[in-house]
Amino acid sequence: NGLSDSDRGQLRTSIVTAARQLAMPSAADVSNIKMDESKRILAMKIAVLLADLATREFPQRWQTFVRDLLAPVSSGGIWCEPGADAGANTIGVKICLECLKLITEDCTDSDFNAKISTVRRNDILLGFNEVTRQILPPLFELLSKQYGDLNNAKNTLTQMNQYLASSGRTTAQMSPEEKSQYQTQLDKRDAAGTLLADVLGTIEKFCQSMPLDWMFKVENGVDFVAALLHLLQEDVAKVQVLSVACLKQLAIRKLDQDQWYRVISSLPSALFEASQASAKRANERGIDPNCIEMLVEQLEYHRSLSRMGSMLVMCHLAHITADKDVSSGKGPKFEAVSRYLRLLSEMMSHQSGVICGEQINMWVGLLRDPAIVRTNVLSPHLSRVLNAYMTHVVKIRWDDVWDQNHIYASLIEASWDDDDEYHDWLGNLRSKASQLFRAIGSTEPEIAATA
């Protein structure tokens, strides 16, 4: 803080120049898919310096900060060139993404309140809001490009596997040239997936703290909500889990009615497409889409999806209770809510109890709301809900899990670390489930009697 304006300018120029030099691909980097680990570490350190400097200078003394970051290297910035492939060519992108994420955290996270004054935080956020058109289009373009590259690499790998199968060979029987080509596609897939994950990490912070229009406004083909819903299909680099994390941050915000209905109306079809993509991957591997192996692999995704889905309802009960369509039991909004609740109730047929455990508070809350109970929006789903919880309140014998005698032993082991964690979870579920059973018994006695 004791630096003169001249010294500040020199420091700023030095750090930006260092970032640009690192971001500028050398002749050897142009075709290098894998990012050098030492460069990646240096990029993260430079990002910290840039973020620290920006929180002190932007926007008053560093009005060109966003342009200095997000302009391509050839135009004096740190961002990658249009159409650049992931890897050594996009190390500048990692600097920018990490820098934006750190600044957003510093300005919005309560843990950092003592680090930056309220006035400075507000100045920075207002400054960001003034230049959203410089921030969001490059991020969306990068998201689209890397997703396309990821799918191209995966399709090429599928074609290679089909060619090998047609000649009665496996990947272990490839020629040296074929192995090299196969590995190149694997590297391209992983590099694009990793960069997608980095972009989603920054977008999650925007979903958490920045104005909702950043994600919900559709302009010039930029539509982040649609992109997040589409990325639920992608399992490479945990992209689908990270997409759910972004949607979860939106779910716990105060969405207006149009924003909320857009999400709950779009999720069922998006998840159907994601399910189809998962089934396709299983078929390519020659396994059943519903086998234990697939359930274990997708457990984190399914659990986070169930949690996010229930939060989307719990945080916006007023949109259900105050809507005339829902109250009357007809109309497009009633259909949207009913379809969404059906989706959540069908999730609960999952063989792992942690999936329905994520929804218990939501169903209890819905059944305790007199305005919602008076409608018929819940009735069609309560049989599935009741059956799911009655199934999972039955205690699992942990000896059967240890001895691998339980049919879902591997899934149970993936769901809980040990029997102590399972028993704690079961006690909590039984306590809440008893409230749920009483509520169903008092509101829908016929459904309760058939259980």
Side-chain angles (χ1 to χ4, degrees):
N1 290 330
L3 295 176
S4 66
D5 288 345
S6 176
D7 290 339
R8 288 174 186 273
Q10 289 179 1
L11 178 61
R12 190 164 62 232
T13 301
S14 298
I15 296 175
V16 172
T17 300
R20 287 194 66 241
Q21 288 175 343
L22 186 64
M24 197 173 296
S26 63
D29 287 337
V30 171
S31 59
N32 190 7
I33 299 171
K34 290 188 176 181
M35 186 178 295
D36 182 85
E37 182 62 17
S38 61
K39 285 188 175 181
R40 188 195 67 79
I41 293 171
L42 183 57
M44 296 299 98
K45 292 182 177 180
I46 290 176
V48 173
L49 288 174
L50 277 170
D52 201 37
L53 187 61
T55 55
R56 289 165 170 76
E57 303 284 293
F58 176 78
Q60 288 89 343
R61 290 190 290 263
W62 193 0
Q63 296 177 357
T64 61
F65 165 65
V66 172
R67 188 166 67 247
D68 291 344
L69 237 66
L70 299 180
V73 172
S74 61
S75 301
I78 305 172
W79 199 252
C80 64
E81 298 302 317
D85 294 330
N89 294 315
T90 54
I91 194 164
V93 170
K94 292 187 77 70
I95 295 174
C96 298
L97 292 173
E98 184 68 14
C99 180
L100 290 172
K101 185 165 73 170
L102 289 171
I103 294 171
T104 305
E105 283 179 347
D106 287 353
C107 292
T108 58
D109 196 318
S110 59
D111 291 341
F112 295 92
N113 281 349
K115 183 177 177 181
I116 305 172
S117 70
T118 301
V119 173
R120 280 299 303 141
R121 288 201 305 274
N122 291 340
D123 285 347
I124 294 165
L125 294 174
L126 286 170
F128 269 165
N129 214 32
E130 290 294 318
V131 290
T132 52
R133 291 183 178 177
Q134 295 179 37
I135 297 173
L136 299 181
L139 259 66
F140 191 82
E141 183 181 339
L142 181 68
L143 203 66
S144 303
K145 169 70 167 61
Q146 298 310 317
Y147 181 66
D149 289 351
L150 174 61
N151 274 294
N152 288 338
K154 288 171 67 176
N155 290 336
T156 302
L157 287 168
T158 299
Q159 292 168 5
M160 288 179 168
N161 287 326
Q162 290 172 345
Y163 171 75
L164 289 170
S166 68
S167 58
R169 294 187 295 156
T170 66
T171 53
Q173 297 169 308
M174 291 188 294
S175 67
E177 183 180 357
E178 287 172 332
K179 285 182 179 179
S180 176
Q181 292 173 348
Y182 196 87
Q183 187 60 50
T184 296
Q185 294 305 317
L186 286 174
D187 291 342
K188 285 184 176 180
R189 180 199 67 184
D190 294 344
T194 300
L195 191 50
L196 265 177
D198 290 337
V199 179
L200 290 171
T202 300
I203 290 175
E204 183 186 358
K205 295 301 177 184
F206 291 170
C207 290
Q208 179 181 359
S209 307
M210 292 303 187
L212 289 168
D213 274 354
W214 280 39
M215 294 296 111
F216 279 96
K217 189 174 183 180
V218 180
E219 187 175 37
N220 298 324
V222 175
D223 186 348
F224 280 99
V225 170
L228 292 173
L229 292 169
H230 189 73
L231 288 173
L232 295 174
Q233 301 177 32
E234 188 50 64
D235 67 331
V236 172
K238 293 189 175 182
V239 165
Q240 57 186 180
V241 175
L242 294 167
S243 298
V244 173
C246 293
L247 291 170
K248 175 192 162 191
Q249 293 301 334
L250 293 176
I252 60 179
R253 301 280 300 274
K254 191 175 181 180
L255 304 182
D256 65 33
Q257 194 173 72
D258 289 340
Q259 292 167 341
W260 187 71
Y261 274 105
R262 181 189 173 190
V263 177
I264 68 161
S265 300
S266 303
L267 266 170
S269 58
L271 292 179
F272 176 73
E273 291 172 1
S275 178
Q276 287 186 314
S278 175
K280 181 182 177 183
R281 289 193 294 269
N283 291 331
E284 289 172 353
R285 292 165 57 181
I287 59 177
D288 186 335
N290 297 313
C291 70
I292 300 299
E293 184 180 350
M294 288 295 290
L295 290 175
V296 171
E297 286 180 11
Q298 293 197 296
L299 179 63
E300 182 183 5
Y301 164 61
H302 288 147
R303 186 173 188 174
S304 62
L305 196 59
S306 186
R307 183 186 304 123
M308 179 276 293
S310 63
M311 286 181 171
L312 192 56
V313 174
M314 282 299 292
C315 296
H316 299 88
L317 287 177
H319 291 329
I320 300 176
T321 58
D323 191 87
K324 293 180 180 178
D325 274 5
V326 178
S327 300
S328 64
K330 58 185 179 181
K333 290 182 178 178
F334 170 80
E335 293 297 331
V337 173
S338 185
R339 198 161 46 243
Y340 184 69
L341 291 177
R342 180 182 180 87
L343 170 72
L344 292 179
S345 67
E346 288 176 345
M347 280 186 200
M348 296 164 63
S349 64
H350 195 285
Q351 288 82 350
S352 173
V354 296
I355 306 302
C356 68
E358 296 293 348
Q359 296 187 29
I360 186 73
N361 291 330
M362 180 201 74
W363 291 107
V364 171
L366 288 169
L367 286 160
R368 283 180 169 177
D369 193 307
I372 294 175
V373 169
R374 281 196 296 270
T375 71
N376 59 354
V377 73
L378 294 179
S379 300
H381 320 294
L382 291 181
S383 290
R384 283 188 296 274
V385 173
L386 189 59
N387 289 334
Y389 286 114
M390 290 191 71
T391 297
H392 290 293
V393 294
V394 177
K395 184 178 180 181
I396 297 170
R397 290 184 70 252
W398 209 258
D399 286 345
D400 291 339
V401 179
W402 280 334
D403 296 337
Q404 297 296 300
N405 292 328
H406 196 288
I407 187 173
Y408 299 121
S410 58
L411 181 61
I412 293 168
E413 288 177 327
S415 301
W416 298 278
D417 290 338
D418 52 33
D419 58 336
D420 288 338
E421 185 183 12
Y422 167 70
H423 288 127
D424 288 344
W425 173 88
L426 182 62
N428 187 45
L429 182 74
R430 284 177 169 177
S431 174
K432 292 178 179 177
S434 65
Q435 301 173 39
L436 180 84
F437 297 154
R438 285 196 298 271
I440 294 177
S442 62
T443 58
E444 297 288 347
E446 291 184 6
I447 293 175
T450 59

